[in-house]
Amino acid sequence: MKTKAAVVYEAGKPIEIEELTLDGPREGEVLIRYTHAGLCHSDVHIAHGDLEARLPMVLGHEGAGIIEEVGPGVTRVKAGDHVVCSFIPNCGTCRYCASGQQSICDMGATILEGYLPGDRWPISGPRGRYGAMCMLGTFSQYGVIHQNSAVKVDDDLPLDKAVLVGCGVPTGWGSAVNTANVKAGQTVAVFGVGGIGINAVQGARYAGAKYVVAIDPLENKREKAMELGATHAFATAAEAQEAITQMTRGQGADSAILTPGLMTSQIVSDGFNAVGKGGTVVLTGLNKLMEQNIELPGTILTLFRKKIVGSLFGDCNPTVDIPKILGLYQSGDLKLDEIITRTYTLDQVQEGYDDLLAGKNVRGVVIHEHP
Ligand code: CXF
Ligand code: ZN
Ligand code: ZN
C-alpha cells in the first residue's frame, strides 16, 4: 500500500513529504493507521545530524493510532485496538525486560537505524529502503511496526492527547519520579521546560517535591511550568542557583533534571552545582552521540557523593507505565491538554519544527488525514 510520510534524506536539509510504499505485516508485526504524532525534539536532532541515524528515515517516534491488520503470531493487539506506540519496544524476555527495565530492552538496538527484527524494512520508495525513526516512523499515515512497540489503551481515551505518552510524557515524568526518585518535601530543579521538561515538572510535583524550580530562558515556557506545578521559575541558572541556596538554607537541591533542547557541558555543570550532598543529576536531553558534554570536578562529585545518571524513557516500563500515566491523565493528576500548543497537518511538519526551534511550542501534534 501507499503512505504519505515525512522523510529526512540528508542531515541539515529540510524534511520532505514523500509518497512511499509499505509492505503488509509479517510475523509479529502489525499495520497501524497513525491518527496522531507528536513533534519531539529528537526528530530534529536527526534532521540536523545532531543524532546520527541511518538515512533516509521516516521521522516521528511519538505516535498513536488504530491497528488495521495483524501479522501471524501477533498476540498483544488485534485489529481495531487503539494503541499508543512506545519509542522503545519491549520484548518481555531479554535480561532488561525480565528485570523490570523495559526502557533498555535489547530490541531497542536498531531505533536509530529504523528497521525491524530480522533485517526487515517495511518501507520503500524512490531511494531504496527507508528506516523508521525508533522502528515507528509516526510522521506517516500508516506504519508497519512490531507488536512489541504497541501498547493497547482504552477506546475512550482521546488519542490526540494520549499520543504524548509515547515519548515526551514518560520521558519527563519518569526522569523525576523514577530516575531522580523524587520524594516528598524535596527540592528539584528542572533545566529546560519544553515537551520533556514540563512533564518532569509535573512528575516532581506529583511525587511530592516541596520546591520545583524551573529554569528556561523563554517566558512562555516558564509560565507553563508555573501553571503545571513549578513553585519557582527563572530565566537563568545563576538566578535559580541563588534561590535554591536560599530555599534550602545552603544545602542545595536534591535533584536536577536536565531536559534542554541540546545537552551542553554548561548545562551539566549548572545542574551539578544546583544539587547538594547526595544529590542526583539526571541527564535526559541529548546531543551528538560522541559529544563530550560532561566536564565536572570529579573530586567534588566524590566528596559530596553526588550522582550523575542517564535516563531513557524516564526509566519507565512502557507496558505498565503508559496505561498508568494515562490513568493519571483521566483522574486529572497529570495534564496533557494544557501542554499541546498547536496542531499541524503532515504537510506542516517542517513548520512545526520551525515553531519548536523558535521556542513557540511546548508540544506540537500532527493530526493525520486519511483518504
Ligand atoms: C530519543 C532517545 C534516543 C533515540 C531517539 C529517541 N528519545 C526521545 O526523544
Ligand atoms: Zn522523543
Ligand atoms: Zn527486552
Side-chain angles (χ1 to χ4, degrees):
M1 69 183 291
K2 297 288 178 197
T3 187
K4 196 163 81 162
V7 180
V8 56
Y9 281 105
E10 207 181 315
K13 295 275 169 65
I15 294 164
E16 295 184 38
I17 304 297
E18 186 90 87
E19 187 170 83
L20 301 171
T21 303
L22 192 61
D23 258 6
R26 293 191 194 164
E27 180 82 25
E29 299 171 356
V30 301
L31 170 67
I32 179 171
R33 173 163 60 88
Y34 288 122
T35 55
H36 302 89
L39 293 152
C40 176
H41 208 123
S42 300
D43 297 291
V44 188
H45 284 315
I46 288 185
H48 286 177
D50 288 332
L51 200 57
E52 299 87 344
R54 181 204 175 273
L55 303 178
M57 175 174 269
V58 173
L59 291 180
H61 64 282
E62 213 172 61
I66 299 171
I67 301 296
E68 294 258 302
E69 190 186 328
V70 302
V74 169
T75 53
R76 289 198 186 190
V77 290
K78 60 182 187 314
D81 280 354
H82 290 204
V83 301
V84 168
C85 298
S86 167
F87 84 75
I88 296 272
N90 64 90
C91 72
T93 51
C94 73
R95 62 179 285 211
Y96 304 103
C97 284
S99 56
Q101 304 175 84
Q102 290 179 355
S103 69
I104 47 173
C105 172
D106 281 339
M107 234 187 115
T110 60
I111 57 174
L112 290 177
E113 284 164 282
Y115 63 91
L116 303 183
D119 201 22
R120 252 288 274 165
W121 301 79
I123 311 169
S124 57
R127 299 204 212 165
R129 51 194 199 178
Y130 292 56
M133 170 67 158
C134 292
M135 305 154 78
L136 297 172
T138 61
F139 297 154
S140 173
Q141 295 167 302
Y142 297 91
V144 165
I145 64 175
H146 198 278
Q147 63 168 335
N148 295 354
S149 295
V151 176
K152 180 179 163 22
V153 299
D154 292 342
D155 287 353
D156 59 351
L157 272 165
L159 291 177
D160 59 337
K161 313 295 181 325
V163 61
L164 304 187
V165 187
C167 175
V169 177
T171 298
W173 189 83
S175 292
V177 174
N178 299 327
T179 318
N181 197 15
V182 172
K183 295 281 178 240
Q186 289 192 333
T187 298
V188 181
V190 179
F191 289 77
V193 196
I196 308 284
I198 193 65
N199 295 303
V201 166
Q202 296 203 73
R205 197 60 196 270
Y206 188 73
K210 179 178 184 190
Y211 298 122
V212 180
V213 181
I215 301 111
D216 198 292
L218 297 171
E219 194 177 353
N220 57 337
K221 306 287 179 74
R222 297 197 298 274
E223 270 172 18
K224 192 50 84 175
M226 293 299 288
E227 181 190 326
L228 295 187
T231 55
H232 300 75
F234 299 100
T236 66
E239 290 169 276
Q241 181 72 49
E242 197 185 320
I244 289 168
T245 302
Q246 269 181 16
M247 66 183 75
T248 63
R249 288 177 292 144
Q251 293 185 343
D254 296 284
S255 54
I257 298 164
L258 312 185
T259 46
L262 197 62
M263 190 71 82
T264 62
S265 50
Q266 182 62 54
I267 293 167
V268 178
S269 292
D270 291 341
F272 183 79
N273 292 332
V275 303
K277 284 196 285 187
T280 302
V281 183
V282 177
L283 270 67
T284 303
L286 304 172
N287 202 318
K288 286 193 169 63
L289 290 179
M290 296 315 290
E291 181 80 15
Q292 306 289 298
N293 57 2
I294 302 181
E295 283 178 77
L296 295 171
T299 303
I300 306 273
L301 176 88
T302 302
L303 294 180
F304 283 40
R305 216 219 61 203
K306 297 188 184 190
K307 282 198 270 297
I308 301 172
V309 56
S311 184
L312 187 66
F313 206 82
D315 288 343
C316 287
N317 289 295
T319 57
V320 182
D321 289 316
I322 288 179
K324 185 200 280 178
I325 290 171
L326 286 168
L328 292 174
Y329 166 66
Q330 285 172 311
S331 60
D333 292 304
L334 181 101
K335 305 295 182 197
L336 296 181
D337 303 43
E338 290 80 353
I339 63 179
I340 297 171
T341 315
R342 224 202 102 171
T343 61
Y344 300 87
T345 64
L346 179 62
D347 295 313
Q348 293 173 318
V349 161
Q350 184 62 58
E351 186 185 338
Y353 277 122
D354 292 343
D355 286 348
L356 181 147
L357 293 169
K360 293 183 192 165
N361 290 356
V362 175
R363 212 25 143 216
V365 170
V366 169
I367 302 178
H368 281 295
E369 291 162 345
H370 303 87

